[in-house]
């Protein structure tokens, strides 16, 4: 295991790649656990790529890690991202496993509190989303409100 994972501050290409894959999986799990509102700009998978590539590439920039293992690791992570994206496009179940599903949090004048708890949003988050998207705070005009897997709030009006 020591040869596969490595020890010390100078892992070789294989060891750094193994570490990169492990960090990729851990980052996906952590972002899924932390909730969709933590990184509400892109999908969890996209956020992981940005975080990992930034962190790993910075090691090459500051000379904290050998250049070749950094490049190999980043290449493997990008390839892993492409493979996962390809699989997401071919399987709805896999897509939902990786990214999650939208959550209905408001329906025809009623807040769905159990779903709000799942999405980690409060009533004010939903009302703010309604004001931003529908340009109203009249809840009678709103049919559905969803928290998308990206963390964004989507509003469907009655008209």
């Amino acid at each position: 295991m020591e040869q596969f994972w490595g020890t010390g501050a100078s892992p070789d290409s294989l060891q750094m790649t193994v570490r990169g894959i492990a960090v990729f999986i851990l980052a996906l799990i952590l972002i899924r656990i932390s909730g969709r509102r933590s990184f509400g700009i892109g999908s969890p998978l996209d956020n992981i790529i940005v975080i990992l590539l930034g962190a790993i590439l910075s090691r090459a920039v500051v000379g904290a890690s050998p250049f070749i293992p950094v490049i190999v690791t980043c290449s493997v992570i990008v390839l892993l991202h492409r493979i996962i994206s390809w699989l997401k496009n071919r399987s709805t179940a896999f897509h939902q496993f990786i990214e999650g599903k939208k959550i209905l949090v408001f329906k025809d004048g009623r807040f769905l509190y159990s779903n709000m708890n799942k999405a980690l949003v409060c009533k004010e988050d939903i009302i703010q989303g309604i004001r931003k998207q529908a340009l109203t705070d009249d809840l009678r005009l709103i049919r559905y409100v969803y928290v998308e897997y990206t963390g964004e709030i989507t509003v469907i009006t009655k008209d």
Side-chain angles (χ1 to χ4, degrees), residues 8-12 16 19 54-70:
S10 297
D12 63 25
M16 198 166 202
R19 291 178 185 188
I56 295 167
L57 288 170
S58 71
R59 303 212 31 100
V61 172
V62 299
S65 295
F67 188 76
I68 298 300
V70 167

PDB file of all heavy atoms in Angstrom, residues 8-12 16 19 54-70:
ATOM      1  N   GLY A   8       5.667  10.670   2.274  1.00  0.00           N
ATOM      2  CA  GLY A   8       6.481  11.860   2.132  1.00  0.00           C
ATOM      3  C   GLY A   8       5.877  12.886   1.186  1.00  0.00           C
ATOM      4  O   GLY A   8       4.746  12.766   0.729  1.00  0.00           O
ATOM      5  N   ALA A   9       6.689  13.886   0.887  1.00  0.00           N
ATOM      6  CA  ALA A   9       6.206  15.032   0.116  1.00  0.00           C
ATOM      7  C   ALA A   9       6.439  14.911  -1.382  1.00  0.00           C
ATOM      8  O   ALA A   9       6.079  15.817  -2.122  1.00  0.00           O
ATOM      9  CB  ALA A   9       6.875  16.301   0.647  1.00  0.00           C
ATOM     10  N   SER A  10       7.043  13.837  -1.845  1.00  0.00           N
ATOM     11  CA  SER A  10       7.344  13.720  -3.278  1.00  0.00           C
ATOM     12  C   SER A  10       6.811  12.415  -3.864  1.00  0.00           C
ATOM     13  O   SER A  10       7.574  11.515  -4.218  1.00  0.00           O
ATOM     14  CB  SER A  10       8.857  13.803  -3.501  1.00  0.00           C
ATOM     15  OG  SER A  10       9.349  15.051  -3.100  1.00  0.00           O
ATOM     16  N   PRO A  11       5.496  12.305  -4.027  1.00  0.00           N
ATOM     17  CA  PRO A  11       4.957  11.089  -4.648  1.00  0.00           C
ATOM     18  C   PRO A  11       5.264  11.052  -6.138  1.00  0.00           C
ATOM     19  O   PRO A  11       5.455  12.095  -6.765  1.00  0.00           O
ATOM     20  CB  PRO A  11       3.444  11.223  -4.407  1.00  0.00           C
ATOM     21  CG  PRO A  11       3.215  12.691  -4.269  1.00  0.00           C
ATOM     22  CD  PRO A  11       4.460  13.250  -3.656  1.00  0.00           C
ATOM     23  N   ASP A  12       5.347   9.839  -6.694  1.00  0.00           N
ATOM     24  CA  ASP A  12       5.558   9.737  -8.144  1.00  0.00           C
ATOM     25  C   ASP A  12       4.214   9.898  -8.853  1.00  0.00           C
ATOM     26  O   ASP A  12       3.183  10.139  -8.229  1.00  0.00           O
ATOM     27  CB  ASP A  12       6.261   8.419  -8.509  1.00  0.00           C
ATOM     28  CG  ASP A  12       5.442   7.173  -8.173  1.00  0.00           C
ATOM     29  OD1 ASP A  12       4.196   7.257  -8.111  1.00  0.00           O
ATOM     30  OD2 ASP A  12       6.056   6.106  -7.991  1.00  0.00           O
ATOM     31  N   MET A  16       0.575  10.038  -7.012  1.00  0.00           N
ATOM     32  CA  MET A  16      -0.169  11.291  -7.023  1.00  0.00           C
ATOM     33  C   MET A  16      -1.514  11.115  -7.730  1.00  0.00           C
ATOM     34  O   MET A  16      -2.515  11.710  -7.328  1.00  0.00           O
ATOM     35  CB  MET A  16       0.650  12.393  -7.683  1.00  0.00           C
ATOM     36  CG  MET A  16       0.164  13.780  -7.363  1.00  0.00           C
ATOM     37  SD  MET A  16       1.418  14.972  -7.831  1.00  0.00           S
ATOM     38  CE  MET A  16       0.941  16.327  -6.812  1.00  0.00           C
ATOM     39  N   ARG A  19      -3.816   9.409  -5.301  1.00  0.00           N
ATOM     40  CA  ARG A  19      -4.249  10.405  -4.320  1.00  0.00           C
ATOM     41  C   ARG A  19      -5.286  11.355  -4.938  1.00  0.00           C
ATOM     42  O   ARG A  19      -6.258  11.717  -4.301  1.00  0.00           O
ATOM     43  CB  ARG A  19      -3.056  11.211  -3.813  1.00  0.00           C
ATOM     44  CG  ARG A  19      -2.105  10.422  -2.957  1.00  0.00           C
ATOM     45  CD  ARG A  19      -0.938  11.271  -2.550  1.00  0.00           C
ATOM     46  NE  ARG A  19       0.058  10.516  -1.811  1.00  0.00           N
ATOM     47  CZ  ARG A  19       1.095  11.072  -1.208  1.00  0.00           C
ATOM     48  NH1 ARG A  19       1.284  12.373  -1.274  1.00  0.00           N
ATOM     49  NH2 ARG A  19       1.951  10.321  -0.565  1.00  0.00           N
ATOM     50  N   GLY A  54      -7.481  23.577  -9.323  1.00  0.00           N
ATOM     51  CA  GLY A  54      -6.841  24.758  -8.740  1.00  0.00           C
ATOM     52  C   GLY A  54      -5.844  24.372  -7.657  1.00  0.00           C
ATOM     53  O   GLY A  54      -4.711  24.868  -7.630  1.00  0.00           O
ATOM     54  N   ALA A  55      -6.261  23.473  -6.782  1.00  0.00           N
ATOM     55  CA  ALA A  55      -5.381  23.069  -5.683  1.00  0.00           C
ATOM     56  C   ALA A  55      -4.158  22.306  -6.179  1.00  0.00           C
ATOM     57  O   ALA A  55      -3.033  22.565  -5.742  1.00  0.00           O
ATOM     58  CB  ALA A  55      -6.166  22.216  -4.688  1.00  0.00           C
ATOM     59  N   ILE A  56      -4.382  21.374  -7.098  1.00  0.00           N
ATOM     60  CA  ILE A  56      -3.259  20.553  -7.575  1.00  0.00           C
ATOM     61  C   ILE A  56      -2.320  21.371  -8.452  1.00  0.00           C
ATOM     62  O   ILE A  56      -1.097  21.307  -8.291  1.00  0.00           O
ATOM     63  CB  ILE A  56      -3.785  19.310  -8.318  1.00  0.00           C
ATOM     64  CG1 ILE A  56      -4.551  18.410  -7.353  1.00  0.00           C
ATOM     65  CG2 ILE A  56      -2.627  18.538  -8.950  1.00  0.00           C
ATOM     66  CD1 ILE A  56      -5.363  17.334  -8.035  1.00  0.00           C
ATOM     67  N   LEU A  57      -2.882  22.141  -9.362  1.00  0.00           N
ATOM     68  CA  LEU A  57      -2.022  22.950 -10.233  1.00  0.00           C
ATOM     69  C   LEU A  57      -1.235  23.988  -9.457  1.00  0.00           C
ATOM     70  O   LEU A  57      -0.107  24.321  -9.831  1.00  0.00           O
ATOM     71  CB  LEU A  57      -2.863  23.617 -11.327  1.00  0.00           C
ATOM     72  CG  LEU A  57      -3.378  22.673 -12.406  1.00  0.00           C
ATOM     73  CD1 LEU A  57      -4.384  23.378 -13.301  1.00  0.00           C
ATOM     74  CD2 LEU A  57      -2.236  22.088 -13.214  1.00  0.00           C
ATOM     75  N   SER A  58      -1.806  24.475  -8.365  1.00  0.00           N
ATOM     76  CA  SER A  58      -1.070  25.455  -7.561  1.00  0.00           C
ATOM     77  C   SER A  58       0.200  24.841  -6.984  1.00  0.00           C
ATOM     78  O   SER A  58       1.197  25.534  -6.792  1.00  0.00           O
ATOM     79  CB  SER A  58      -1.949  25.998  -6.442  1.00  0.00           C
ATOM     80  OG  SER A  58      -2.175  25.009  -5.450  1.00  0.00           O
ATOM     81  N   ARG A  59       0.190  23.549  -6.744  1.00  0.00           N
ATOM     82  CA  ARG A  59       1.393  22.874  -6.214  1.00  0.00           C
ATOM     83  C   ARG A  59       2.527  22.917  -7.229  1.00  0.00           C
ATOM     84  O   ARG A  59       3.690  23.038  -6.859  1.00  0.00           O
ATOM     85  CB  ARG A  59       1.062  21.449  -5.820  1.00  0.00           C
ATOM     86  CG  ARG A  59      -0.074  21.421  -4.799  1.00  0.00           C
ATOM     87  CD  ARG A  59      -0.069  20.353  -3.800  1.00  0.00           C
ATOM     88  NE  ARG A  59       1.159  19.823  -3.349  1.00  0.00           N
ATOM     89  CZ  ARG A  59       1.763  20.151  -2.196  1.00  0.00           C
ATOM     90  NH1 ARG A  59       1.231  21.076  -1.423  1.00  0.00           N
ATOM     91  NH2 ARG A  59       2.874  19.566  -1.823  1.00  0.00           N
ATOM     92  N   ALA A  60       2.172  22.826  -8.509  1.00  0.00           N
ATOM     93  CA  ALA A  60       3.214  22.920  -9.539  1.00  0.00           C
ATOM     94  C   ALA A  60       3.719  24.356  -9.651  1.00  0.00           C
ATOM     95  O   ALA A  60       4.911  24.592  -9.849  1.00  0.00           O
ATOM     96  CB  ALA A  60       2.668  22.449 -10.882  1.00  0.00           C
ATOM     97  N   VAL A  61       2.812  25.300  -9.510  1.00  0.00           N
ATOM     98  CA  VAL A  61       3.194  26.709  -9.626  1.00  0.00           C
ATOM     99  C   VAL A  61       4.162  27.112  -8.524  1.00  0.00           C
ATOM    100  O   VAL A  61       5.155  27.790  -8.785  1.00  0.00           O
ATOM    101  CB  VAL A  61       1.930  27.610  -9.594  1.00  0.00           C
ATOM    102  CG1 VAL A  61       2.303  29.075  -9.508  1.00  0.00           C
ATOM    103  CG2 VAL A  61       1.076  27.355 -10.826  1.00  0.00           C
ATOM    104  N   VAL A  62       3.917  26.692  -7.291  1.00  0.00           N
ATOM    105  CA  VAL A  62       4.776  27.085  -6.167  1.00  0.00           C
ATOM    106  C   VAL A  62       5.924  26.108  -5.943  1.00  0.00           C
ATOM    107  O   VAL A  62       6.737  26.296  -5.046  1.00  0.00           O
ATOM    108  CB  VAL A  62       3.958  27.258  -4.864  1.00  0.00           C
ATOM    109  CG1 VAL A  62       2.931  28.342  -5.029  1.00  0.00           C
ATOM    110  CG2 VAL A  62       3.328  25.960  -4.431  1.00  0.00           C
ATOM    111  N   GLY A  63       5.992  25.061  -6.749  1.00  0.00           N
ATOM    112  CA  GLY A  63       7.082  24.094  -6.634  1.00  0.00           C
ATOM    113  C   GLY A  63       6.960  23.166  -5.449  1.00  0.00           C
ATOM    114  O   GLY A  63       7.954  22.565  -5.025  1.00  0.00           O
ATOM    115  N   ALA A  64       5.767  23.035  -4.905  1.00  0.00           N
ATOM    116  CA  ALA A  64       5.565  22.155  -3.758  1.00  0.00           C
ATOM    117  C   ALA A  64       5.543  20.687  -4.163  1.00  0.00           C
ATOM    118  O   ALA A  64       5.731  19.813  -3.328  1.00  0.00           O
ATOM    119  CB  ALA A  64       4.271  22.515  -3.038  1.00  0.00           C
ATOM    120  N   SER A  65       5.279  20.409  -5.431  1.00  0.00           N
ATOM    121  CA  SER A  65       5.254  19.039  -5.949  1.00  0.00           C
ATOM    122  C   SER A  65       5.972  19.020  -7.288  1.00  0.00           C
ATOM    123  O   SER A  65       5.989  20.027  -7.997  1.00  0.00           O
ATOM    124  CB  SER A  65       3.813  18.567  -6.149  1.00  0.00           C
ATOM    125  OG  SER A  65       3.142  18.476  -4.923  1.00  0.00           O
ATOM    126  N   PRO A  66       6.524  17.870  -7.658  1.00  0.00           N
ATOM    127  CA  PRO A  66       7.159  17.766  -8.974  1.00  0.00           C
ATOM    128  C   PRO A  66       6.144  18.038 -10.091  1.00  0.00           C
ATOM    129  O   PRO A  66       4.969  17.670  -9.999  1.00  0.00           O
ATOM    130  CB  PRO A  66       7.656  16.323  -9.026  1.00  0.00           C
ATOM    131  CG  PRO A  66       7.693  15.861  -7.608  1.00  0.00           C
ATOM    132  CD  PRO A  66       6.648  16.635  -6.886  1.00  0.00           C
ATOM    133  N   PHE A  67       6.599  18.674 -11.135  1.00  0.00           N
ATOM    134  CA  PHE A  67       5.718  19.128 -12.207  1.00  0.00           C
ATOM    135  C   PHE A  67       5.006  17.974 -12.924  1.00  0.00           C
ATOM    136  O   PHE A  67       3.807  18.025 -13.147  1.00  0.00           O
ATOM    137  CB  PHE A  67       6.518  19.964 -13.210  1.00  0.00           C
ATOM    138  CG  PHE A  67       5.662  20.624 -14.241  1.00  0.00           C
ATOM    139  CD1 PHE A  67       4.923  21.745 -13.921  1.00  0.00           C
ATOM    140  CD2 PHE A  67       5.583  20.115 -15.523  1.00  0.00           C
ATOM    141  CE1 PHE A  67       4.123  22.362 -14.861  1.00  0.00           C
ATOM    142  CE2 PHE A  67       4.777  20.718 -16.474  1.00  0.00           C
ATOM    143  CZ  PHE A  67       4.049  21.853 -16.136  1.00  0.00           C
ATOM    144  N   ILE A  68       5.737  16.942 -13.313  1.00  0.00           N
ATOM    145  CA  ILE A  68       5.159  15.842 -14.090  1.00  0.00           C
ATOM    146  C   ILE A  68       4.042  15.130 -13.323  1.00  0.00           C
ATOM    147  O   ILE A  68       2.956  14.928 -13.877  1.00  0.00           O
ATOM    148  CB  ILE A  68       6.248  14.844 -14.573  1.00  0.00           C
ATOM    149  CG1 ILE A  68       7.236  15.546 -15.506  1.00  0.00           C
ATOM    150  CG2 ILE A  68       5.625  13.631 -15.240  1.00  0.00           C
ATOM    151  CD1 ILE A  68       6.611  16.137 -16.761  1.00  0.00           C
ATOM    152  N   PRO A  69       4.235  14.755 -12.048  1.00  0.00           N
ATOM    153  CA  PRO A  69       3.119  14.132 -11.324  1.00  0.00           C
ATOM    154  C   PRO A  69       1.888  15.042 -11.229  1.00  0.00           C
ATOM    155  O   PRO A  69       0.754  14.555 -11.283  1.00  0.00           O
ATOM    156  CB  PRO A  69       3.692  13.843  -9.937  1.00  0.00           C
ATOM    157  CG  PRO A  69       5.157  13.698 -10.156  1.00  0.00           C
ATOM    158  CD  PRO A  69       5.484  14.678 -11.263  1.00  0.00           C
ATOM    159  N   VAL A  70       2.086  16.342 -11.104  1.00  0.00           N
ATOM    160  CA  VAL A  70       0.955  17.269 -11.051  1.00  0.00           C
ATOM    161  C   VAL A  70       0.184  17.226 -12.365  1.00  0.00           C
ATOM    162  O   VAL A  70      -1.049  17.126 -12.377  1.00  0.00           O
ATOM    163  CB  VAL A  70       1.431  18.709 -10.738  1.00  0.00           C
ATOM    164  CG1 VAL A  70       0.335  19.723 -11.000  1.00  0.00           C
ATOM    165  CG2 VAL A  70       1.914  18.810  -9.296  1.00  0.00           C
TER     166      VAL A  70
END
